[in-house]
Amino acid sequence: MPLRREGGQRRVARVEVDLTRCAGYGHCVDAAPEVFRMSDVAEVAEVLRPRPGPELADSVREAARVCPANAVFLFKDGPPDPDGDGPAG
């Protein structure tokens, strides 16, 4: 499902990490350190900025793309579509 374009940029409204999928590779942290970090208590990624600004959209999309566990989910803004507000990546 494509993300909404705002001012010519695709916007990411919300970011989540599925902790049941996350295997602690840290690729998301490498791609977007402003948004993700590795947990101090478990070998999983944590979201620092669940609603990143448009200036971080590219790095957040890259983080989702490089996650080998497919644990990073990106959500679009606006009201849910008829199929629900599911992952957009």
Side-chain angles (χ1 to χ4, degrees):
M1 190 173 303
L3 300 174
R4 170 185 262 162
R5 288 194 178 264
E6 195 169 283
Q9 283 187 317
R10 289 192 301 178
R11 179 172 166 80
V12 176
R14 186 168 43 102
V15 179
E16 291 182 6
V17 173
D18 182 340
L19 299 178
T20 65
R21 291 183 179 197
C22 181
Y25 290 101
H27 297 323
C28 59
V29 177
D30 294 338
E34 307 89 347
V35 179
F36 303 96
R37 72 172 183 158
M38 294 306 294
S39 172
D40 292 333
V41 294
E43 292 190 18
V44 294
E46 297 177 333
V47 179
L48 297 172
R49 293 181 65 180
R51 296 189 182 279
E55 71 281 2
L56 297 172
D58 288 339
S59 60
V60 169
R61 281 194 302 277
E62 178 68 6
R65 188 187 70 77
V66 300
C67 179
N70 294 315
V72 177
F73 289 90
L74 310 179
F75 296 87
K76 64 184 182 178
D77 58 345
D81 60 30
D83 296 326
D85 188 27

